[in-house]
Each structure stands twice: as structure tokens, then as C-alpha cells.
Coordinates of all heavy atoms in Angstrom, one line a residue:
A1 N 18.4 2.9 -95.8 CA 18.9 2.9 -94.4 C 20.3 2.3 -94.4 O 20.6 1.4 -95.1 CB 17.9 2.0 -93.6
V2 N 21.1 2.9 -93.6 CA 22.5 2.5 -93.4 C 22.5 1.2 -92.6 O 23.3 0.3 -93.0 CB 23.3 3.6 -92.7 CG1 24.7 3.1 -92.4 CG2 23.3 4.9 -93.5
L3 N 21.8 1.1 -91.5 CA 21.8 0.0 -90.7 C 20.5 -0.8 -90.8 O 19.4 -0.2 -90.9 CB 22.0 0.4 -89.2 CG 23.2 1.3 -88.9 CD1 23.3 1.7 -87.5 CD2 24.5 0.5 -89.3
Q4 N 20.6 -2.1 -90.8 CA 19.4 -2.9 -91.0 C 18.9 -3.4 -89.6 O 19.7 -3.6 -88.7 CB 19.8 -4.2 -91.9 CG 20.3 -3.8 -93.2 CD 19.3 -2.9 -94.0 OE1 18.1 -3.2 -94.0 NE2 19.8 -1.9 -94.7
P5 N 17.6 -3.6 -89.5 CA 17.0 -4.2 -88.3 C 17.7 -5.5 -87.9 O 18.0 -6.4 -88.8 CB 15.5 -4.4 -88.6 CG 15.3 -3.4 -89.7 CD 16.6 -3.4 -90.5
G6 N 17.9 -5.7 -86.7 CA 18.6 -6.9 -86.2 C 20.1 -6.9 -86.1 O 20.7 -7.7 -85.6
L7 N 20.7 -5.9 -86.8 CA 22.1 -5.7 -86.8 C 22.7 -5.3 -85.4 O 22.1 -4.4 -84.9 CB 22.6 -4.7 -87.8 CG 24.0 -4.4 -88.0 CD1 24.8 -5.6 -88.5 CD2 24.3 -3.2 -88.9
Q8 N 23.7 -6.0 -84.9 CA 24.2 -5.6 -83.7 C 25.2 -4.4 -83.9 O 26.0 -4.5 -84.8 CB 25.0 -6.8 -83.0 CG 24.1 -7.8 -82.5 CD 24.8 -8.8 -81.6 OE1 26.0 -8.9 -81.7 NE2 24.1 -9.6 -80.9
I9 N 25.0 -3.4 -83.1 CA 25.9 -2.2 -83.3 C 26.4 -1.7 -82.0 O 26.1 -2.2 -80.9 CB 25.1 -1.0 -83.9 CG1 24.0 -0.6 -82.9 CG2 24.5 -1.4 -85.3 CD1 23.3 0.7 -83.3
K10 N 27.4 -0.8 -82.1 CA 27.9 -0.1 -80.9 C 27.4 1.4 -81.1 O 27.4 1.9 -82.2 CB 29.4 -0.1 -80.8 CG 29.9 -1.5 -80.5 CD 31.4 -1.6 -80.4 CE 31.9 -3.0 -80.2 NZ 33.4 -3.0 -80.1
C11 N 27.0 2.0 -80.0 CA 26.6 3.4 -80.0 C 26.8 4.0 -78.7 O 27.2 3.4 -77.8 CB 25.1 3.4 -80.4 SG 24.0 2.6 -79.2
M12 N 26.6 5.3 -78.6 CA 26.7 6.1 -77.4 C 25.4 6.6 -76.9 O 24.6 6.9 -77.8 CB 27.7 7.3 -77.6 CG 29.2 6.9 -77.6 SD 30.3 8.4 -77.6 CE 30.1 8.9 -75.9
I13 N 25.2 6.6 -75.7 CA 24.0 7.2 -75.1 C 24.4 8.7 -75.0 O 25.3 9.1 -74.3 CB 23.7 6.7 -73.6 CG1 23.4 5.2 -73.7 CG2 22.6 7.5 -73.0 CD1 23.3 4.6 -72.4
I14 N 23.7 9.5 -75.7 CA 23.9 11.0 -75.7 C 23.0 11.8 -74.9 O 23.2 13.0 -74.6 CB 24.0 11.5 -77.2 CG1 22.7 11.2 -77.9 CG2 25.2 10.9 -77.9 CD1 22.6 12.0 -79.2
D15 N 21.9 11.2 -74.5 CA 20.9 11.8 -73.6 C 20.1 10.8 -72.9 O 19.9 9.7 -73.4 CB 20.0 12.7 -74.4 CG 19.2 13.7 -73.6 OD1 19.6 14.0 -72.4 OD2 18.1 14.1 -74.0
H16 N 19.7 11.2 -71.6 CA 18.9 10.3 -70.8 C 17.8 11.1 -70.2 O 18.0 12.0 -69.4 CB 19.8 9.6 -69.7 CG 19.0 8.7 -68.8 ND1 19.4 8.4 -67.6 CD2 17.9 8.0 -69.0 CE1 18.6 7.5 -67.0 NE2 17.6 7.3 -67.9
D17 N 16.5 10.8 -70.6 CA 15.3 11.5 -70.1 C 14.8 10.6 -69.0 O 13.9 9.7 -69.3 CB 14.4 11.7 -71.2 CG 13.1 12.5 -70.8 OD1 12.9 12.6 -69.6 OD2 12.4 12.8 -71.7
K18 N 15.1 10.8 -67.8 CA 14.6 9.9 -66.7 C 13.1 10.1 -66.5 O 12.5 9.1 -66.2 CB 15.4 10.3 -65.4 CG 16.8 9.9 -65.4 CD 17.5 10.3 -64.1 CE 19.0 10.0 -64.2 NZ 19.7 10.4 -63.0
L19 N 12.6 11.3 -66.7 CA 11.2 11.6 -66.4 C 10.3 10.7 -67.4 O 9.3 10.1 -66.9 CB 10.9 13.1 -66.7 CG 9.5 13.5 -66.4 CD1 9.1 13.3 -64.9 CD2 9.4 15.0 -66.8
N20 N 10.7 10.6 -68.6 CA 10.0 9.8 -69.6 C 10.5 8.4 -69.8 O 10.0 7.7 -70.7 CB 9.8 10.6 -70.9 CG 9.1 11.9 -70.8 OD1 8.0 11.9 -70.2 ND2 9.6 13.0 -71.2
G21 N 11.6 8.1 -69.2 CA 12.2 6.8 -69.4 C 12.7 6.5 -70.8 O 12.6 5.5 -71.3
R22 N 13.4 7.6 -71.4 CA 13.9 7.5 -72.7 C 15.4 7.8 -72.7 O 15.9 8.5 -71.9 CB 13.2 8.4 -73.6 CG 11.7 8.2 -73.8 CD 11.1 9.2 -74.7 NE 9.7 8.9 -74.8 CZ 8.9 9.3 -75.8 NH1 9.5 10.0 -76.8 NH2 7.6 9.0 -75.8
I23 N 16.1 7.2 -73.7 CA 17.5 7.5 -74.0 C 17.6 7.8 -75.4 O 16.9 7.3 -76.2 CB 18.4 6.3 -73.5 CG1 18.1 5.0 -74.2 CG2 18.4 6.1 -72.0 CD1 19.1 3.9 -74.0
A24 N 18.6 8.7 -75.7 CA 18.9 8.9 -77.1 C 20.3 8.3 -77.4 O 21.2 8.4 -76.7 CB 19.0 10.4 -77.3
L25 N 20.3 7.5 -78.5 CA 21.6 6.8 -78.9 C 22.1 7.4 -80.2 O 21.3 7.9 -81.0 CB 21.2 5.3 -79.1 CG 20.6 4.6 -78.0 CD1 20.2 3.2 -78.4 CD2 21.4 4.6 -76.8
A26 N 23.4 7.4 -80.4 CA 24.0 7.8 -81.6 C 25.2 7.0 -82.0 O 26.0 6.6 -81.1 CB 24.4 9.3 -81.4
T27 N 25.4 6.9 -83.3 CA 26.6 6.3 -83.8 C 27.6 7.3 -84.3 O 28.8 7.1 -84.4 CB 26.4 5.3 -84.9 OG1 25.6 6.0 -86.0 CG2 25.5 4.0 -84.4
K28 N 27.0 8.5 -84.6 CA 27.8 9.6 -85.2 C 29.0 10.0 -84.3 O 30.1 10.3 -84.8 CB 26.9 10.8 -85.4 CG 27.6 12.0 -86.0 CD 26.7 13.1 -86.3 CE 27.5 14.3 -87.0 NZ 26.5 15.3 -87.4
T29 N 28.8 10.0 -83.0 CA 29.9 10.3 -82.1 C 31.0 9.3 -82.1 O 32.1 9.6 -81.6 CB 29.3 10.4 -80.6 OG1 28.6 9.2 -80.3 CG2 28.4 11.6 -80.5
L30 N 30.8 8.1 -82.6 CA 31.8 7.1 -82.7 C 32.6 7.1 -84.0 O 33.5 6.4 -84.2 CB 31.2 5.7 -82.6 CG 30.4 5.5 -81.2 CD1 29.8 4.1 -81.2 CD2 31.3 5.7 -80.0
E31 N 32.2 8.0 -84.9 CA 32.8 8.0 -86.2 C 34.2 8.7 -86.1 O 34.3 9.8 -85.5 CB 32.1 8.8 -87.3 CG 30.8 8.1 -87.7 CD 29.9 8.9 -88.7 OE1 29.8 10.2 -88.6 OE2 29.4 8.3 -89.6
Y32 N 35.2 8.1 -86.6 CA 36.6 8.6 -86.5 C 36.8 9.7 -87.6 O 37.7 10.5 -87.5 CB 37.6 7.5 -86.7 CG 37.4 6.6 -87.8 CD1 37.8 6.8 -89.1 CD2 36.6 5.4 -87.6 CE1 37.5 6.0 -90.2 CE2 36.4 4.5 -88.6 CZ 36.8 4.8 -89.9 OH 36.5 4.0 -91.0
E33 N 35.9 9.8 -88.6 CA 35.8 10.9 -89.6 C 34.4 11.0 -90.0 O 33.6 9.9 -90.0 CB 36.7 10.6 -90.7 CG 36.4 9.4 -91.6 CD 37.4 9.2 -92.7 OE1 38.6 9.4 -92.6 OE2 36.9 8.8 -93.8
P34 N 33.9 12.1 -90.4 CA 32.5 12.3 -90.8 C 32.1 11.4 -92.0 O 32.9 11.2 -92.9 CB 32.5 13.8 -91.2 CG 33.5 14.5 -90.5 CD 34.7 13.4 -90.4
G35 N 31.0 10.7 -91.8 CA 30.6 9.8 -92.8 C 31.1 8.4 -92.8 O 30.8 7.6 -93.7
A36 N 32.0 8.1 -91.9 CA 32.6 6.8 -91.8 C 31.6 5.7 -91.7 O 31.8 4.6 -92.2 CB 33.6 6.7 -90.6
I37 N 30.5 6.0 -91.0 CA 29.5 4.9 -90.8 C 28.9 4.5 -92.1 O 28.5 3.4 -92.3 CB 28.4 5.3 -89.8 CG1 27.6 4.1 -89.3 CG2 27.5 6.4 -90.3 CD1 28.3 3.3 -88.2
L38 N 28.9 5.4 -93.1 CA 28.3 5.1 -94.4 C 29.3 4.3 -95.2 O 28.9 3.4 -96.0 CB 28.0 6.4 -95.1 CG 26.9 7.3 -94.5 CD1 26.8 8.6 -95.2 CD2 25.6 6.6 -94.5
K39 N 30.6 4.5 -95.0 CA 31.6 3.9 -95.8 C 32.0 2.5 -95.3 O 32.1 1.6 -96.1 CB 32.8 4.8 -95.9 CG 32.6 6.1 -96.6 CD 33.9 7.0 -96.4 CE 33.6 8.3 -96.9 NZ 34.6 9.3 -96.5
D40 N 32.1 2.4 -94.0 CA 32.6 1.2 -93.4 C 32.1 1.1 -91.9 O 32.9 1.3 -91.0 CB 34.2 1.2 -93.5 CG 34.7 -0.2 -93.2 OD1 34.0 -1.1 -92.7 OD2 36.0 -0.4 -93.2
P41 N 30.9 0.7 -91.8 CA 30.3 0.6 -90.4 C 31.2 -0.4 -89.5 O 31.4 -0.2 -88.4 CB 28.9 0.0 -90.6 CG 28.6 0.0 -92.1 CD 29.9 0.3 -92.8
A42 N 31.7 -1.5 -90.1 CA 32.5 -2.4 -89.3 C 33.7 -1.8 -88.7 O 34.1 -2.0 -87.5 CB 32.9 -3.7 -90.1
A43 N 34.4 -0.9 -89.5 CA 35.6 -0.2 -88.9 C 35.2 0.7 -87.9 O 35.9 0.9 -86.8 CB 36.2 0.5 -90.1
V44 N 34.0 1.4 -88.0 CA 33.6 2.3 -86.9 C 33.3 1.6 -85.7 O 33.7 2.0 -84.6 CB 32.3 3.1 -87.4 CG1 31.7 3.9 -86.2 CG2 32.6 4.0 -88.6
F45 N 32.6 0.4 -85.8 CA 32.4 -0.4 -84.6 C 33.6 -0.9 -84.0 O 33.7 -1.1 -82.7 CB 31.3 -1.5 -84.8 CG 30.0 -0.9 -85.4 CD1 29.3 -1.6 -86.3 CD2 29.5 0.3 -84.9 CE1 28.1 -1.0 -86.8 CE2 28.3 0.8 -85.3 CZ 27.6 0.2 -86.3
A46 N 34.6 -1.3 -84.8 CA 35.8 -1.9 -84.3 C 36.6 -0.8 -83.5 O 37.3 -1.1 -82.5 CB 36.7 -2.4 -85.4
K47 N 36.5 0.5 -83.9 CA 37.3 1.5 -83.2 C 36.4 2.3 -82.2 O 36.8 3.3 -81.7 CB 37.8 2.5 -84.3 CG 38.8 1.9 -85.3 CD 39.2 2.9 -86.3 CE 40.2 2.3 -87.3 NZ 40.5 3.3 -88.4
A48 N 35.2 1.8 -82.0 CA 34.2 2.5 -81.2 C 34.7 2.9 -79.8 O 34.6 4.1 -79.4 CB 32.9 1.7 -81.1
E49 N 35.3 2.0 -79.1 CA 35.8 2.4 -77.7 C 36.8 3.5 -77.7 O 36.8 4.4 -77.0 CB 36.3 1.1 -77.0 CG 35.2 0.2 -76.6 CD 34.7 -0.8 -77.7 OE1 35.3 -0.8 -78.8 OE2 33.8 -1.5 -77.4
E50 N 37.8 3.3 -78.6 CA 38.9 4.3 -78.8 C 38.3 5.7 -79.1 O 38.6 6.7 -78.6 CB 39.8 3.9 -79.8 CG 41.0 4.8 -80.1 CD 41.9 4.4 -81.3 OE1 41.9 3.2 -81.6 OE2 42.6 5.3 -81.8
T51 N 37.4 5.7 -80.1 CA 36.8 6.9 -80.6 C 35.9 7.6 -79.5 O 35.9 8.8 -79.3 CB 36.0 6.7 -81.9 OG1 36.8 6.0 -82.8 CG2 35.5 8.0 -82.4
A52 N 35.2 6.7 -78.7 CA 34.4 7.2 -77.6 C 35.2 7.8 -76.5 O 34.9 8.9 -76.0 CB 33.6 6.0 -77.1
E53 N 36.3 7.3 -76.2 CA 37.2 7.9 -75.2 C 37.8 9.2 -75.7 O 37.8 10.2 -74.9 CB 38.5 7.0 -75.0 CG 38.1 5.7 -74.1 CD 39.3 4.9 -73.9 OE1 40.5 5.4 -73.9 OE2 39.1 3.7 -73.7
K54 N 38.1 9.3 -76.9 CA 38.6 10.6 -77.5 C 37.4 11.7 -77.4 O 37.6 12.8 -77.1 CB 39.1 10.5 -78.9 CG 40.4 9.7 -79.0 CD 40.8 9.5 -80.4 CE 42.1 8.7 -80.5 NZ 42.5 8.5 -81.9
Y55 N 36.2 11.3 -77.8 CA 35.1 12.1 -77.8 C 34.8 12.6 -76.4 O 34.6 13.8 -76.2 CB 33.9 11.4 -78.4 CG 32.6 12.1 -78.3 CD1 32.3 13.1 -79.3 CD2 31.7 12.0 -77.3 CE1 31.1 13.8 -79.2 CE2 30.5 12.6 -77.2 CZ 30.2 13.6 -78.2 OH 29.0 14.3 -78.1
L56 N 34.8 11.7 -75.4 CA 34.5 12.1 -74.0 C 35.6 13.0 -73.5 O 35.3 14.0 -72.8 CB 34.3 10.8 -73.2 CG 33.1 10.0 -73.5 CD1 33.1 8.7 -72.7 CD2 31.8 10.8 -73.2
A57 N 36.8 12.8 -73.9 CA 37.9 13.7 -73.4 C 37.8 15.1 -74.0 O 37.9 16.0 -73.3 CB 39.2 13.1 -73.8
K58 N 37.4 15.1 -75.3 CA 37.2 16.4 -75.9 C 36.0 17.2 -75.3 O 36.1 18.3 -75.1 CB 36.9 16.2 -77.4 CG 36.6 17.5 -78.2 CD 36.4 17.1 -79.7 CE 36.0 18.4 -80.4 NZ 35.6 18.1 -81.8
M59 N 34.9 16.4 -75.0 CA 33.7 17.1 -74.3 C 34.1 17.6 -73.0 O 33.7 18.7 -72.6 CB 32.6 16.0 -74.2 CG 32.0 15.6 -75.5 SD 31.2 17.0 -76.4 CE 32.4 17.3 -77.7
E60 N 34.9 16.9 -72.2 CA 35.4 17.3 -70.9 C 36.3 18.6 -71.0 O 36.1 19.5 -70.2 CB 36.2 16.2 -70.1 CG 36.6 16.5 -68.8 CD 35.4 16.9 -67.8 OE1 34.3 16.4 -68.0 OE2 35.6 17.7 -66.9
E61 N 37.2 18.6 -72.0 CA 38.0 19.8 -72.2 C 37.1 21.0 -72.5 O 37.4 22.1 -72.0 CB 38.9 19.5 -73.4 CG 40.1 18.7 -73.1 CD 41.0 18.4 -74.3 OE1 41.0 19.3 -75.2 OE2 41.7 17.4 -74.3
E62 N 36.1 20.8 -73.4 CA 35.2 21.9 -73.8 C 34.4 22.4 -72.6 O 34.2 23.6 -72.4 CB 34.3 21.5 -74.9 CG 35.0 21.3 -76.2 CD 34.2 20.8 -77.4 OE1 32.9 20.7 -77.2 OE2 34.7 20.6 -78.5
K63 N 34.0 21.4 -71.8 CA 33.3 21.8 -70.5 C 34.1 22.6 -69.6 O 33.7 23.7 -69.1 CB 32.8 20.6 -69.8 CG 32.1 20.8 -68.5 CD 31.8 19.5 -67.8 CE 31.3 19.7 -66.4 NZ 31.2 18.5 -65.6
Q64 N 35.4 22.2 -69.4 CA 36.3 22.9 -68.6 C 36.5 24.4 -69.1 O 36.6 25.3 -68.4 CB 37.7 22.2 -68.4 CG 37.5 20.8 -67.7 CD 37.2 21.0 -66.3 OE1 37.5 21.9 -65.6 NE2 36.4 20.0 -65.7
A65 N 36.7 24.5 -70.4 CA 36.9 25.8 -71.0 C 35.7 26.7 -70.9 O 35.9 27.9 -70.6 CB 37.2 25.6 -72.5
R66 N 34.5 26.1 -71.0 CA 33.3 26.9 -70.8 C 33.2 27.4 -69.3 O 32.8 28.5 -69.0 CB 32.0 26.1 -71.2 CG 31.8 26.0 -72.6 CD 30.4 25.4 -72.9 NE 30.1 24.2 -72.2 CZ 30.4 23.0 -72.7 NH1 31.0 22.8 -73.8 NH2 30.1 21.9 -72.0
E67 N 33.5 26.5 -68.4 CA 33.5 26.9 -67.0 C 34.5 27.9 -66.6 O 34.2 28.9 -65.9 CB 33.6 25.6 -66.1 CG 32.5 24.7 -66.1 CD 32.7 23.4 -65.4 OE1 33.9 23.1 -64.9 OE2 31.7 22.6 -65.2
A68 N 35.7 27.8 -67.2 CA 36.7 28.8 -67.0 C 36.3 30.2 -67.6 O 36.5 31.2 -67.0 CB 38.0 28.4 -67.6
A69 N 35.7 30.2 -68.7 CA 35.2 31.4 -69.4 C 34.1 32.0 -68.6 O 34.1 33.3 -68.3 CB 34.7 31.1 -70.8
A70 N 33.2 31.2 -68.1 CA 32.1 31.7 -67.2 C 32.6 32.3 -65.9 O 32.2 33.4 -65.5 CB 31.1 30.7 -66.9
R71 N 33.6 31.7 -65.3 CA 34.3 32.2 -64.1 C 35.0 33.5 -64.4 O 34.8 34.4 -63.6 CB 35.3 31.1 -63.6 CG 35.7 31.3 -62.2 CD 36.5 30.1 -61.6 NE 37.3 29.3 -62.6 CZ 37.0 28.1 -63.1 NH1 35.9 27.6 -62.7 NH2 37.8 27.5 -63.9
D72 N 35.7 33.6 -65.5 CA 36.3 34.9 -65.8 C 35.3 36.0 -66.1 O 35.6 37.1 -65.7 CB 37.2 34.7 -67.1 CG 38.4 33.8 -66.9 OD1 38.8 33.6 -65.7 OD2 39.0 33.4 -67.9
I73 N 34.2 35.7 -66.6 CA 33.2 36.7 -66.9 C 32.6 37.1 -65.6 O 32.5 38.4 -65.3 CB 32.0 36.1 -67.8 CG1 32.5 36.0 -69.2 CG2 30.8 37.1 -67.7 CD1 31.6 35.2 -70.1
V74 N 32.3 36.2 -64.6 CA 31.8 36.6 -63.3 C 32.7 37.4 -62.5 O 32.4 38.4 -62.0 CB 31.3 35.3 -62.5 CG1 31.0 35.7 -61.1 CG2 30.2 34.6 -63.2
L75 N 34.0 37.0 -62.6 CA 35.1 37.7 -61.8 C 35.2 39.1 -62.5 O 35.4 40.1 -61.7 CB 36.3 37.0 -61.8 CG 36.3 35.7 -60.9 CD1 37.6 34.9 -61.1 CD2 36.0 35.9 -59.5
G76 N 35.1 39.2 -63.8 CA 35.2 40.5 -64.4 C 34.1 41.4 -64.1 O 34.3 42.6 -64.0
L77 N 32.9 40.8 -63.9 CA 31.8 41.6 -63.6 C 31.9 42.2 -62.2 O 31.6 43.4 -61.9 CB 30.5 40.8 -63.6 CG 29.9 40.5 -65.0 CD1 28.7 39.5 -64.8 CD2 29.6 41.7 -65.8
G78 N 32.5 41.5 -61.3 CA 32.8 42.0 -59.9 C 33.8 43.1 -60.0 O 33.5 44.1 -59.3
D79 N 34.8 43.1 -60.8 CA 35.7 44.1 -60.9 C 35.0 45.4 -61.5 O 35.3 46.5 -61.1 CB 36.9 43.8 -61.8 CG 37.8 42.7 -61.2 OD1 37.7 42.5 -60.0 OD2 38.6 42.0 -61.9
S80 N 34.2 45.2 -62.5 CA 33.5 46.3 -63.1 C 32.5 47.0 -62.2 O 32.1 48.1 -62.4 CB 32.8 45.9 -64.4 OG 31.7 45.1 -64.2
L81 N 32.1 46.4 -61.1 CA 31.1 47.0 -60.2 C 31.9 47.8 -59.1 O 31.2 48.5 -58.4 CB 30.3 45.9 -59.5 CG 29.4 45.1 -60.5 CD1 28.6 44.0 -59.7 CD2 28.4 46.0 -61.2
D82 N 33.2 47.6 -59.0 CA 34.0 48.3 -58.0 C 33.8 49.9 -58.3 O 33.8 50.3 -59.4 CB 35.4 48.0 -58.1 CG 35.7 46.6 -57.5 OD1 34.8 46.0 -56.9 OD2 36.8 46.1 -57.8
G83 N 33.6 50.6 -57.2 CA 33.5 52.1 -57.4 C 32.1 52.6 -57.7 O 31.9 53.8 -58.0
L84 N 31.1 51.7 -57.8 CA 29.8 52.2 -58.1 C 29.0 52.5 -56.9 O 27.8 52.8 -57.0 CB 29.1 51.1 -58.9 CG 29.6 50.8 -60.4 CD1 28.8 49.7 -61.0 CD2 29.6 52.1 -61.2
G85 N 29.6 52.4 -55.7 CA 28.9 52.8 -54.4 C 28.0 51.6 -54.0 O 27.0 51.9 -53.3
L86 N 28.3 50.4 -54.4 CA 27.4 49.3 -54.1 C 28.0 48.5 -52.9 O 27.5 47.4 -52.7 CB 27.2 48.4 -55.3 CG 26.6 49.0 -56.5 CD1 26.5 48.0 -57.6 CD2 25.2 49.5 -56.2
D87 N 29.0 49.0 -52.3 CA 29.7 48.3 -51.2 C 28.8 48.2 -50.0 O 28.6 49.3 -49.4 CB 31.1 49.0 -51.0 CG 32.0 48.1 -50.1 OD1 31.5 47.0 -49.6 OD2 33.1 48.6 -49.8
D88 N 28.4 47.1 -49.6 CA 27.5 46.9 -48.5 C 28.2 47.1 -47.1 O 27.6 47.3 -46.1 CB 26.9 45.5 -48.5 CG 25.9 45.4 -49.6 OD1 25.4 46.4 -50.1 OD2 25.6 44.2 -50.0
D89 N 29.6 47.1 -47.1 CA 30.3 47.2 -45.9 C 30.3 48.6 -45.3 O 30.6 48.8 -44.2 CB 31.7 46.6 -46.0 CG 31.8 45.1 -46.3 OD1 30.8 44.4 -45.9 OD2 32.7 44.7 -47.0
K90 N 30.1 49.5 -46.2 CA 30.2 50.9 -45.8 C 28.8 51.5 -45.5 O 27.9 51.2 -46.2 CB 30.9 51.8 -46.9 CG 32.3 51.4 -47.1 CD 33.0 52.3 -48.1 CE 34.4 51.9 -48.4 NZ 35.0 52.6 -49.4
S91 N 28.6 52.4 -44.6 CA 27.4 53.0 -44.2 C 27.5 54.4 -44.5 O 28.4 55.1 -44.3 CB 27.1 52.7 -42.8 OG 25.9 53.4 -42.4
D92 N 26.3 55.0 -44.9 CA 26.3 56.4 -45.2 C 26.2 57.2 -43.9 O 26.4 58.4 -43.9 CB 25.0 56.8 -46.0 CG 25.1 56.3 -47.4 OD1 26.3 56.1 -47.9 OD2 24.1 56.0 -48.1
D93 N 26.0 56.5 -42.8 CA 25.8 57.2 -41.5 C 27.2 57.5 -40.8 O 27.2 58.1 -39.8 CB 25.0 56.4 -40.5 CG 23.6 56.2 -41.0 OD1 23.1 57.1 -41.7 OD2 23.0 55.2 -40.7
D94 N 28.3 57.1 -41.4 CA 29.6 57.3 -40.8 C 30.0 58.7 -40.8 O 30.0 59.6 -41.4 CB 30.7 56.4 -41.4 CG 30.5 54.9 -41.1 OD1 29.8 54.6 -40.1 OD2 31.0 54.1 -41.9

């Protein structure tokens, strides 16, 4: 085991299950490089706040990119439906 029982650590809450009253914790998201927790846990914990801020900023950027891509897809679908006779504003009785 990398961490011993009773050791004080810093970690991030990565999931919260309100229904079951559980949370998921991780130290991996605080690593400034993969495997850092194995090499120097004290350095990981010392840089935890800084690394967490970077991680959260990256997650927000990725979320914004996904939302923009989804918006582009939806808007593109609207354009591809033009001319298919699905316009509700026009009536065949005219």
C-alpha cells in the first residue's frame, strides 16, 4: 500500500452519491505527473491546491468544448432538415 492507515492526506472529491450517502475520493487528480504519489507523496500534498486548481480549470475547458460541440451538432441538424417539408409554418391547404 502506498498510504498507511492514519496518515493525513489531501484528496479531491470526484463523485458524490447523495442517494446512498457516499463520496468517492482520489489523490490521482492531484498528481502533477503520473505516478508522483508513489515517488513523493509529500510533494504531491504540498502542491495539491495548485494542481487541483489546474485540474478543475482543465475540466471546465473540456466541459465548455463538449457543450460547444453538442451545440454545433444540434444546429447542424437543424440546417440538414431544411427543405425536407417539415416546416410547420406552412399549410398544404394554401
